[in-house]
Amino acid sequence: DSGVTQTPKHLITATGQRVTLRCSPRSGDLSVYWYQQSLDQGLQFLIQYYNGEERAKGNILERFSAQQFPDLHSELNLSSLELGDSALYFCASSPQGLGEKLFFGSGTQLSVL
Amino acid sequence: GESVGLHLPTLSVQEGDNSIINCAYSNSASDYFIWYKQESGKGPQFIIDIRSNMDKRQGQRVTVLLNKTVKHLSLQIAATQPGDSAVYFCAEINDYKLSFGAGTTVTVRA
């Protein structure tokens, strides 16, 4: 168990809908990361937060947004969902977010039908 | 785009044999490298890491080798066990950003 908690484990929704994925980092970690894993794309970095502030942005679509709350948990919001958004979404955390190893949650499997 | 990649997408190994998983990276400025293991239905799990000022690091049954001259990283697993069946990713950190390669799927034959 990495100590990173993600909910829900599975999510099935329809195109055009909006969903929220939730992540609680390891105790003491200030930085949270979101990754998308598709079958043919590997692990793609979406966005990183540190202590409530956005620190780095990767290949995140404009339809997607995230935030990190004062209690350090994070949410990833996906809107206007398309079939191609079906993927595993992982959250990871690290102490300072400055090039340390990341600890990953078990992921949320999103299926857009 | 991706700056880290693996030589082979799949590796089949006999139980008890040693496994070697290779990874090439393109950014010579990267100073920290990590190997992750991802089992089916789970998130990536940290295995071992190495900094650019080292060329070898050993863990429990695993060894990571770094050759900066040719920008090559490898993960050696000794006495491979069925529980080692997974996808293995190398990752590099450059400018605080962690980038993953495409992964190698290791299958252990009984």
Side-chain angles (χ1 to χ4, degrees):
Chain A
D1 183 9
S2 68
V4 178
T5 304
Q6 286 187 251
T7 58
K9 287 193 180 301
H10 302 279
L11 202 48
I12 301 174
T13 189
T15 55
Q17 295 298 306
R18 172 189 169 95
V19 297
T20 298
L21 281 53
R22 183 186 169 100
C23 169
S24 293
R26 290 189 323 158
S27 177
D29 284 357
L30 299 178
S31 193
V32 169
Y33 308 71
W34 287 97
Y35 282 82
Q36 180 192 56
Q37 186 175 40
S38 304
L39 280 175
D40 58 348
Q41 294 275 333
L43 280 155
Q44 299 290 322
F45 169 67
L46 296 178
I47 198 163
Q48 177 198 0
Y49 282 82
Y50 172 76
N51 206 21
E53 299 291 325
E54 182 183 306
R55 173 167 277 179
K57 194 176 263 193
N59 301 322
I60 188 167
L61 300 173
E62 285 193 13
R63 300 184 284 109
F64 296 180
S65 64
Q67 55 183 326
Q68 185 180 27
F69 295 86
D71 68 352
L72 301 177
H73 92 270
S74 177
E75 292 181 356
L76 178 66
N77 299 297
L78 313 177
S79 61
S80 302
L81 285 167
E82 302 174 359
L83 296 177
D85 297 327
S86 296
L88 259 172
Y89 291 84
F90 286 106
C91 171
S93 73
S94 71
Q96 298 293 326
L98 294 174
E100 313 127 328
K101 56 180 173 276
L102 307 186
F103 294 87
F104 284 80
S106 297
T108 293
Q109 177 69 61
L110 174 66
S111 298
V112 182
L113 306 178
Chain B
E2 297 281 342
S3 64
V4 179
L6 288 162
H7 291 310
L8 293 173
T10 62
L11 176 68
S12 180
V13 61
Q14 185 70 36
E15 182 179 355
D17 287 352
N18 296 334
S19 303
I20 299 176
I21 305 166
N22 296 306
C23 175
Y25 65 95
S26 58
N27 194 333
S28 57
S30 294
D31 56 6
Y32 182 39
F33 303 88
I34 306 172
W35 280 99
Y36 282 92
K37 171 187 179 183
Q38 186 177 18
E39 296 175 90
S40 180
K42 298 184 178 180
Q45 176 187 4
F46 169 85
I47 302 173
I48 193 167
D49 56 359
I50 188 167
R51 300 222 171 252
S52 59
N53 61 352
M54 303 172 69
D55 53 21
K56 181 179 179 179
R57 190 158 189 229
Q58 288 184 292
Q60 187 176 17
R61 281 201 308 117
V62 293
T63 300
V64 55
L65 299 176
L66 176 63
N67 185 331
K68 295 180 287 294
T69 303
V70 295
K71 290 185 283 189
H72 182 268
L73 192 69
S74 68
L75 177 70
Q76 300 177 2
I77 305 173
T80 310
Q81 302 170 357
D84 295 327
S85 292
V87 180
Y88 290 81
F89 294 94
C90 65
E92 67 176 313
I93 293 183
N94 177 38
D95 193 24
Y96 304 138
K97 294 179 184 174
L98 186 136
S99 301
F100 285 88
T104 291
T105 300
V106 173
T107 303
V108 180
R109 305 188 307 271

